[in-house]
Amino acid sequence: MSSKKIAAAIHPPVAASVAVRKYDERRDKAAVEELERRCEVGQPGKPAFVTDLMGDPVARVRNFSSHIMLVAEHGDGREIVGVIRCCIKTVTSGKLRSNEFPVYVKLAYILGLRVSSSHRRLGIATKLVQELESWSKQNGAEYAYMATECSNKPSLSLFTQKSNYVKFRNPAVLVQPVHGHYKSLPSDIAIVRVSPNLAETMYCALFSNSEFFPKDIGVLLHNKLNLGTFIALSKRDFSDWNPETGDLPASFSICSIWNTKEVFRLQVKGVSSLTHAACLGTRVVDAMLPWLKIPSIPNVFESFGFYFLYGLHMEGKDGSRLMKTLCKFAHNMARDDRGCRAVVAEVGQTDPVREAIPHWRKFSWDEDVWCIKKLQEDVKEQNCDDQWLKSSSISHSKIIFVDPRDL
């Protein structure tokens, strides 16, 4: 095989009739929705989550001040055959300066890449990524990153082999289904809702040396989708605690709750009839024998939303118990919200809170892979060095702050 043929096999030529442009809601909305509906198929023989963006294709990035959505058109009919989204944010790198202030980097987050199954292997995905990287660099992004599953070989190949991204982090997704019964909370623990301003002060102190902590945390906490920030502490400590001082008790846990169901909903498809029947059976038995308080499996085969827990942190000898109580509290909130059928958290593999977050192992996974790439190669790095990219196995920080707007 000639060198030209080998190069073509590795990097398929982009179809000359493909053009990439900015998404226009007025004329593109219906076509993009249809494209994404056809692309949500998952892997053969395995369950898949189908995402409904509630009629707003830009919903997943709209909560960032700097965002864009691109579409790829093909042929004389200008059929939309590809789509991709991106937002730019400023986050911590996990390092601290000599004066103990966090090191921030400007980061582009790429998500929602879809290409029509009838137009693949034409280089359309590569062209979409390249155009998005160009826009990101023009808007000052120093790095770009994306998230996928380790089993998604085409996506990993596109980013790591063709686009020079490197595997970076491998967080764990912990899922707790919401069933029809309230979880009992310990009588000696108080749960306090704190104001967004106070929560911002606390989070800046707690997460300054973590990775991916957003500089605009105040905007996040004031967002209408944020249902509140809550602290769990013993009632003994609560009686002595004055939140106005900014000091925290010796033992406490804290988290914020994000309502995803107002932005998008999920639906599980691709499961067997037997699985359907088994899940239905748990709900039937629960309805017939409610006093047993069976943790039945909610109906995830119809459109549903979930609550996302973020900013999870615990300290002190009672921290684990307090975090478990806080998660039970979130479950009870979700139970009262019709259509919310799961409570989800995403944390670093070695984050201490991981072991304290209640979850069902069969519903949870640690197969997500975050890949990252340095965009500004020609600029001397003032914020962080290449070691941040090379530390794929051992993180600078055990803590990864997962922004709910990235979902």
Side-chain angles (χ1 to χ4, degrees), residues 60-261:
R60 296 179 71 181
V61 292
R62 197 180 292 279
N63 282 305
F64 290 94
S65 59
S66 180
H67 64 267
I68 195 171
M69 179 170 166
L70 301 177
V71 296
E73 294 179 319
H74 177 264
D76 296 334
R78 313 318 298 167
E79 177 188 3
I80 292 181
V81 296
V83 63
I84 196 170
R85 302 169 178 82
C86 180
C87 60
I88 295 179
K89 54 186 179 177
T90 302
V91 303
T92 55
S93 68
K95 285 188 169 185
L96 292 176
R97 301 183 189 277
S98 57
N99 56 8
E100 296 300 306
F101 282 95
V103 174
Y104 285 99
V105 295
K106 201 167 185 179
L107 194 66
Y109 178 53
I110 300 173
L111 73 162
L113 173 60
R114 299 285 188 272
V115 174
S116 170
S117 58
S118 59
H119 293 80
R120 291 174 184 169
R121 304 188 68 81
L122 294 175
I124 295 173
T126 301
K127 187 170 184 177
L128 282 167
V129 172
Q130 290 173 344
E131 292 289 339
L132 208 54
E133 289 179 350
S134 177
W135 174 84
S136 299
K137 287 192 286 188
Q138 291 172 11
N139 284 271
E142 301 165 71
Y143 296 88
Y145 84 109
M146 51 76 68
T148 189
E149 295 180 1
C150 62
S151 58
N152 192 337
K153 302 302 182 185
S155 179
L156 285 174
S157 174
L158 168 65
F159 282 94
T160 61
Q161 297 181 27
K162 298 178 183 178
S163 303
N164 299 318
Y165 285 69
V166 295
K167 294 180 181 179
F168 189 60
R169 298 291 179 259
N170 175 220
V173 179
L174 309 176
V175 181
Q176 180 183 18
V178 174
H179 55 78
H181 305 287
Y182 289 105
K183 291 182 177 291
S184 59
L185 306 182
S187 59
D188 62 331
I189 292 178
I191 294 180
V192 183
R193 180 172 182 168
V194 299
S195 69
N197 290 337
L198 181 56
E200 179 179 0
T201 300
M202 292 177 175
Y203 276 144
C204 287
L206 295 172
F207 289 95
S208 61
N209 63 340
S210 68
E211 292 182 320
F212 297 94
F213 179 69
K215 194 171 186 178
D216 66 342
I217 183 64
V219 173
L220 178 61
L221 295 171
H222 281 89
N223 191 293
K224 65 180 181 180
L225 298 178
N226 191 62
L227 300 180
T229 301
F230 302 88
I231 288 183
L233 65 166
S234 72
K235 289 185 177 179
R236 181 184 62 258
D237 289 339
F238 174 64
S239 61
D240 298 329
W241 181 50
N242 181 6
E244 300 303 323
T245 65
D247 296 329
L248 289 165
S251 287
F252 72 94
S253 68
I254 183 172
C255 84
S256 296
I257 304 175
W258 186 265
N259 185 8
T260 67
K261 75 185 188 70

Side-chain angles (χ1 to χ4, degrees), residues 321-361:
R321 179 169 176 259
L322 295 169
M323 178 57 70
K324 291 176 181 178
T325 301
L326 208 49
C327 292
K328 289 179 180 180
F329 173 80
H331 172 277
N332 292 345
M333 280 185 62
R335 189 261 180 210
D336 287 335
D337 190 343
R338 186 175 180 181
C340 184
R341 295 175 187 157
V343 176
V344 181
E346 187 170 10
V347 298
Q349 292 281 359
T350 58
D351 191 329
V353 301
R354 178 179 179 179
E355 299 304 320
I357 299 173
H359 60 280
W360 287 19
R361 292 186 181 277

